[in-house]
């Protein structure tokens, strides 16, 4: 069944509760300092990192991890007893904004730590120490990061950071200029199944090939199974070829060390994110299901990054994923040519 963007977000909330090249982004990345060079622990004059959340599309994934739940309001609004997830220590949600103000007001009622329902996104500045930018349905949610990075606020941006590798590199460069952190990823980066797969790889090595599968559109949804596999394999893709068609993408990704990943992204197909790993000594498959654990891992990773000043996810890996998916789209549009990743 084809999943809409709204259905996808709802599913995750319920779980918590010829040759061508793309050289420009690589050039921008090469000019930027590394995350290690940028790192410096953040210092606050209060015991917990104050988090602002832009767009309520993932509020029910993330807010319970950053705030106590107002049980009375929960029963009045949602019915029944509220969930009782374990809070992530060291941070609290204090400010929310959504273009539909009623959605932000609902979150403020449900989560007792929220003290500010902002009238505009810029109202966070001066009231928060870090910002989480959720997908807002505009396909341009990354634009919101600019004001926060310029204010020196560590910022997480929901996937994808951009469809355009150059734009993504510019956002990282802006973060560098203002000596702050920028993170972006799919929830599947933190799938416990990926962590387990990484441990199991040694038993089947040498690894020969990986098959990744996910539903819907190539970039906005294909990033999920791609990042699931990157969490296991790391970066190092050097060329991409898409021999599929729009709605039925079939992408070969070749690593410099000889490993290969095949990504299949299909519209009107089963809603599932899977990966199979095949080596000379055996094979195994995984399916990413535990959305609650993924949300916890993501928020905890962001909070720790803000606390220490060191990015939980290497920027080089984030940018490579964007370059690879852009190359896959370019390959299809160019008749299935091989696109080199530089």
């Amino acid at each position: 069944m084809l999943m809409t963007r709204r259905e996808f977000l709802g599913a995750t909330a319920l779980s918590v509760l010829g040759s061508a090249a793309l050289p420009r982004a690589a050039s921008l990345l090469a000019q930027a300092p590394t995350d290690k060079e940028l790192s410096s622990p953040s210092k606050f004059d209060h015991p917990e990192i104050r988090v602002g959340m832009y767009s309520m599309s993932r509020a029910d994934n993330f807010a319970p991890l950053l705030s106590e739940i107002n049980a009375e309001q929960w029963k009045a609004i949602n019915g029944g007893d509220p969930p009782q997830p374990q809070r992530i220590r060291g941070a609290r949600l204090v400010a929310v904004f959504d273009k539909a103000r009623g959605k932000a007001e609902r979150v403020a009622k449900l989560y007792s730590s929220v003290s500010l329902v902002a009238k505009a996104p810029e109202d966070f500045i001066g009231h928060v120490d870090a910002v989480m930018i959720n997908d807002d349905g505009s396909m341009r949610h990354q634009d919101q990061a600019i004001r926060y990075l310029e204010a020196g606020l560590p910022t997480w941006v929901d996937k994808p950071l951009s469809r355009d590798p150059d734009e993504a590199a510019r956002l990282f460069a802006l973060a560098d200029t203002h000596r702050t952190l920028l993170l972006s990823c799919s929830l599947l980066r933190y799938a416990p199944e990926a962590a387990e797969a990484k441990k199991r790889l040694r038993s089947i090595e040498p690894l020969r090939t990986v098959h990744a599968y996910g539903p819907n559109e190539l970039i906005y949804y294909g990033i999920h199974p791609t990042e699931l596999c990157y969490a296991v394999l790391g970066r190092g893709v050097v060329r991409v070829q898409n021999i599929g068609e729009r709605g039925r993408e079939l992408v070969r990704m070749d690593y410099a060390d000889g490993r290969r990943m095949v990504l299949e992204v299909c519209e009107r197909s089963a809603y599932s994110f899977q990966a199979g790993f095949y080596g000379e000594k055996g094979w195994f498959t995984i399916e990413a299901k535990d959305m609650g654990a993924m949300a916890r891992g993501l928020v905890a990773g962001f909070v720790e990054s803000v606390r220490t000043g060191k990015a939980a996810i290497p920027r080089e890996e984030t940018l490579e994923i964007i370059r690879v998916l852009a190359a896959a789209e370019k390959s299809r549009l160019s008749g299935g040519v091989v696109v080199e990743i530089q």
Side-chain angles (χ1 to χ4, degrees), residues 178-192:
H178 295 280
R179 309 294 295 178
T180 193
L181 285 169
L182 173 62
L183 293 170
S184 180
C185 65
S186 159
L187 274 170
L188 273 72
R189 159 68 59 173
Y190 289 97

Side-chain angles (χ1 to χ4, degrees), residues 89-106:
R89 297 176 61 183
R92 58 192 169 96
L93 180 65
V94 300
V96 293
F97 171 83
D98 196 281
K99 289 181 289 187
R101 185 173 174 82
K103 293 181 179 180
E105 290 173 342
R106 170 188 173 274

Side-chain angles (χ1 to χ4, degrees), residues 33-39 172 181 309-311 313-316:
T34 66
D35 292 317
K36 187 173 182 180
E37 289 169 338
L38 285 171
S39 300
F172 274 107
L181 285 169
K310 183 172 178 58
I313 304 167
R315 72 175 65 191
E316 295 88 350

